Amino acid sequence: MAGTSSTTPELLQEGAGLLKQELLLGTEALQAAQQLRALLRERTPGQAMPEALGQLERVLGQLTQLSRRLDDFLARTGAARLTAFFTAQPPSQLRTGALALLARATSQQRALRRELAGAQALLAQGKAFADFHVNIMNQTVASDTYTKPGGESPELLRGRKMFDANV
């Protein structure tokens, strides 16, 4: 790895600082994602949802900026990842602490991915629920829903809709 063998203590400090900032923002993003998922699960109406989304978007924007700074740092040091940078450093307390923080950051990222996947699943479920009710409001013909395409059904012959009062 070019550039990592002759690193200065300042670069080591900078790398550790970026890692700490990533952990702080990751914790904030995880909390925002958990709040959003809870609101989606409870189907909370009103102002709470836009506020939760705004909070998550703000934190994810900050994480994007931090990611750019991390990419610049890694380009300057010649390391492919922070793990490679810190493992290439001579043993020190800062290196040991940074490697421990890297493990926490990895588990935090996994937890954030799980929360966001759960929120996406809840959104998909909500969309399917809304689509179902839009079909009801549009008076979907019963045969489109309950019979094979092209097959004739008594409902189609009678001209009744799926949710007519006499069905």
Side-chain angles (χ1 to χ4, degrees):
M1 280 175 266
T4 57
S5 61
S6 63
T7 56
T8 63
E10 292 81 23
L11 277 178
L12 196 56
Q13 288 285 347
E14 183 181 354
L18 289 171
L19 182 57
K20 288 175 186 175
Q21 190 174 4
E22 181 181 357
L23 275 170
L24 290 173
L25 287 174
T27 301
E28 197 174 336
L30 185 58
Q31 290 170 348
Q34 289 170 338
Q35 179 185 8
L36 177 63
R37 187 173 176 199
L39 289 172
L40 288 170
R41 192 177 11 211
E42 297 166 5
R43 297 182 183 177
T44 305
Q47 194 63 21
M49 189 65 69
E51 288 174 6
L53 277 171
Q55 174 71 10
L56 184 59
E57 286 175 349
R58 183 187 62 76
V59 175
L60 290 178
Q62 290 175 342
L63 278 170
T64 301
Q65 290 174 352
L66 179 66
S67 176
R68 288 188 198 116
R69 289 178 43 211
L70 276 170
D71 290 343
D72 292 342
F73 174 79
L74 292 174
R76 281 187 287 131
T77 61
R81 300 179 316 166
L82 275 179
T83 307
F85 170 75
F86 284 116
T87 54
Q89 301 308 309
S92 68
Q93 281 185 328
L94 188 58
R95 175 185 179 246
T96 304
L99 290 173
L101 289 178
L102 278 169
R104 283 183 45 200
T106 301
S107 68
Q108 185 182 66
Q109 289 169 1
R110 283 189 200 118
L112 183 59
R113 281 189 200 106
R114 280 192 306 269
E115 285 297 324
L116 292 176
Q120 285 176 332
L122 288 169
L123 285 171
Q125 182 182 8
K127 181 187 179 308
F129 185 76
D131 288 346
F132 173 76
H133 287 287
V134 166
N135 285 338
I136 291 172
M137 290 185 290
N138 286 330
Q139 298 181 348
T140 301
V141 176
S143 63
D144 292 343
T145 306
Y146 297 113
T147 61
K148 292 181 182 178
E152 291 192 31
S153 68
E155 291 87 6
L156 185 59
L157 295 174
R158 288 187 314 218
R160 291 194 178 186
K161 300 292 183 176
M162 192 163 108
F163 293 97
D164 278 348
N166 295 330
V167 174

